Amino acid sequence: MQSDAHAVACRGDARGASRWTRPYVTLRAFVDQRQRVYSCSGSFHRGLNPTRSVPLLSFNTIDTRIRGMSSGEAIHGLGTDSKAIEDYYQEWGPEKYEANLREWGYNAPSVVINKVTEMCATAPVESARVLDAGCGSGFQIADFQAAGFPGANVSAIDIWQGGLDAAAKRGYYGSLSKVDLQTAPYPFDDHTFDAVISVGVLTYINPDSPCLSELIRVTKPGGIICYTNRTDKCDLWAPVEKALEDSGKWESVERSDRLPYLPN
């Protein structure tokens, strides 16, 4: 089964509200998959001491967890607990994470970066300041480079230290910081960035967190904000998005049709 997504964009008004675009990701068929993952993940860290005997169930549970990661099933059971999400990605590891993304044909970063390139109006690509909010291991760096964004102008944040370490080895980002996107303030001044992207991140963030307000705060008036979200999460985020629009913080520009996103 192939899951899909939507993309949306919004444009600043005369008062200088930030523009935003959000590819919405549709993964509606995951309820049973989540239940299956939950049922097998409770003791996956047990029995790793090689000097002790290990019940077969523990090995089976570990194997199921790994299979769930590589198939795209396990990630859909994650909630919004920052520590649990960090631990999950730390266990997954940058090499397995990127290998799985390639196997899945994961192209959401390319879609978002192309949209930002098209719609960024406050500065040309070669001088635009960009924030990659939830950069992971830097999987999308090739897309930034292909679009012409100089790495020195791109800042990146993530909660996953292993991902940040892997991204640093690529030598692209102008700055890298460990940041919990559910906690304010982010380590940037107001109106710093011409464009902000956040790909595959908001699904695992509580809509009541200061995340969107912080993304708007660090974006220049008239700047573009582009993020992805599963469409089964859209109703949870809609009140926050509307409140920000009603208060003149940003304005809707565009919404995509459903787009391929993750397997299963």
Side-chain angles (χ1 to χ4, degrees), residues 180-223:
D180 181 353
L181 271 71
Q182 303 197 80
T183 303
Y186 297 172
F188 306 105
D189 293 335
D190 295 357
H191 308 154
T192 296
F193 299 102
D194 299 283
V196 174
I197 74 163
S198 191
V199 183
V201 177
L202 269 70
T203 297
Y204 312 108
I205 289 180
N206 189 325
D208 293 330
S209 75
C211 178
L212 291 185
S213 294
E214 278 296 287
L215 294 184
I216 292 171
R217 179 184 67 79
V218 303
T219 303
K220 295 177 181 178

Side-chain angles (χ1 to χ4, degrees), residues 83-99:
K83 183 62 166 62
I85 292 166
E86 181 181 11
D87 290 347
Y88 177 92
Y89 276 87
Q90 199 66 19
E91 181 189 2
W92 200 354
E95 291 184 4
K96 287 185 291 184
Y97 164 76
E98 293 195 11

Side-chain angles (χ1 to χ4, degrees), residues 150-196:
N153 296 340
V154 182
S155 300
I157 57 177
D158 203 284
I159 197 172
W160 176 26
Q161 187 60 55
L164 291 168
D165 292 342
K169 292 177 182 178
R170 289 184 150 107
Y172 173 76
Y173 291 114
S175 69
L176 284 157
S177 303
K178 184 174 182 180
V179 174
D180 181 353
L181 271 71
Q182 303 197 80
T183 303
Y186 297 172
F188 306 105
D189 293 335
D190 295 357
H191 308 154
T192 296
F193 299 102
D194 299 283
V196 174

Side-chain angles (χ1 to χ4, degrees), residues 72-88:
E73 293 181 4
I75 195 171
H76 307 309
L78 286 176
T80 60
D81 180 83
S82 297
K83 183 62 166 62
I85 292 166
E86 181 181 11
D87 290 347
Y88 177 92

